[in-house]
Amino acid sequence: MDSKHAPLPSFEEHARRLAGTNLRALVNDASRGDRFRRRMGPILLDITRQKLDVAALDAVGQYIDGTGWKAARDAMFEGKHINTSEDRAVLHTALRGGASRHPAAPADVRKEVAEALDQMEKLVNAVHKGEGESVGLIGRVTDVVNIGIGGSDLGPRLAVHALEQFHVKGIKSHFLTNVDGQAAYDLMNSLDPAHTLVILVSKSFNTQETLLNGGVFRDWILKFNKGDTAKTAKHFIAVSSNVDAVNKWGAAQVLPMWDYVGGRFSLWSAVGASIAFAIGMNGFRDLLAGAAEADDHFRTTEWKDNLPVLLAAAELWNRNILGTTSRAVIPYVDYLADLPSYLQQLEMESLGKHVHPTTGKEVTGSTVPVVWGSIGTNAQHAYFQALHQGTDVVPLEFIGLVKPAHPLRENQDVLTSNLLAQAAALSLGKTFEEALAEAKTGTEEERRALAAQRTFKGNRPSTVFMLDSLTPHSLGALIALYEHKVFMLGHLWGINAFDQWGVELGKVIAKQIYPSLANDKDAGDIAQFDAATRGLIEAIRERR
Ligand code: F6P
């Protein structure tokens, strides 16, 4: 069966049975762990608190198995042009193929990936030795600034922050992404231009924000170098697939990107150069090896044990059968604070689609939920009230660590007990009767009113990931598992997870509006816009 032409099943019988079952009953079945808890290397996935029983999971798994997912998966790994709207292969897995037991990408791709890694290694090692001049860069680097946006920022930012324990000494990493001039201005004020190396990351080399910020930094360093462009170029490495545009721009070194790697899947390429500068090339290769372990797992494991397939099954159930509209990702690991925003792009830019790629027809079911979240326990003291007692059910994803890098055992045990407690509380809840028994004073009416407010309906699903520890390897594996979950959902929902046409319209209109803000004297030039936009432009002009 080709899932892309068949509507999703409603799994009616299972949905009906489970609608009458509370998670409180389901999670108390100790045998669930046999099917709902699975390990891949350093990562334990626990979906025992999803609102599925074994029969329902089997029904979803068997459905998935009948959709041709293995052939679709292999087509991706082998470099078939599965991104049809852009006629491109999808080969981010080739970027870590060197560490895979089953490299499947075409030989020419593997060769150019290996060469690019070697090129990056030379730059990183030279800079780490304080010998940047030997590779055409400045000699001593104290600060590396990554300028990029979307996939050219979020992945490197996540990994650099997550792996702080592994940072080489003497080099600080910075990320400049938004076009809000305050960020560029403040960063320049905090840096010494003499020892600042900038990595300008843009696959297209056509992104307004990145080129503008790159230009601001180039002007700043050019001024420091008293107009010497050759000296200034030594402060810049560019990463792009648009070599012609980069050559015109004037960076001393250019690292490649390729059409077959989407921005949000690109941290494994030279887009991740800032990661390599932060943790060294050995660490970067460990990150790739972790991702390769997840790739091999995804390629060789049957659905029942396959973590990305199980994640996709749970999400499909929540989104398409239970009708939930968002999912909250809560890392109980400060170092993973950037994970929710990274996943927002990975999942929402990939799966925020509504038509089938070859027929152009509307898909029949809902696609991506809103992905959001922030670190625990902080989140508990902010919005968890709504997750426990609000009217919407929001599935959660908790991420914890077994062995942190610090020795503060009490902190870690408090942190993890909170993670486990939230998962338990959300699923078990507290019944009205339990709450009433706790309400000792007042009239019967008052006790009942209080008990109603202190009742937790529970029955709210969640997933737990436990990482043995946070290392380049485990981080690489975790991110790659999410990438493959995205692949699975794109396949099951019948959409192209690898293009992003939905971001284009706003970019075009922003370019049309810009001159009317830059040139506020000529009121006539705003006639082309809708009345709401005109009204706001006028209001801004009046207050300048
Ligand atoms: O606008 C969306 C997007 O194209 C993302 O897909 C991409 O990650 C980001 O912009 C940055 O693009 P680039 O690397 O080409 O500057």
Side-chain angles (χ1 to χ4, degrees), residues 149-152 202-205 207 263-264 345 349 500 503 507:
I149 200 161
S152 297
S202 178
K203 179 182 168 185
S204 61
F205 223 72
T207 299
R264 55 194 176 273
Q345 188 202 17
E349 197 170 271
Q500 56 283 318
V503 298
K507 286 186 192 174

Side-chain angles (χ1 to χ4, degrees), residues 343-366:
L343 291 177
Q344 278 178 330
Q345 188 202 17
L346 178 66
E347 300 192 24
M348 295 174 75
E349 197 170 271
S350 298
L351 300 170
K353 318 280 166 68
H354 68 121
V355 294
H356 183 274
T358 55
T359 65
K361 290 210 174 105
E362 284 281 332
V363 294
T364 49
S366 300

Side-chain angles (χ1 to χ4, degrees), residues 11-31:
F11 302 105
E12 210 179 324
E13 177 199 329
H14 302 285
R16 203 175 322 111
R17 179 181 69 259
L18 287 165
T21 314
N22 196 294
L23 262 178
R24 190 182 262 231
L26 288 178
V27 299
N28 270 316
D29 174 1
S31 68

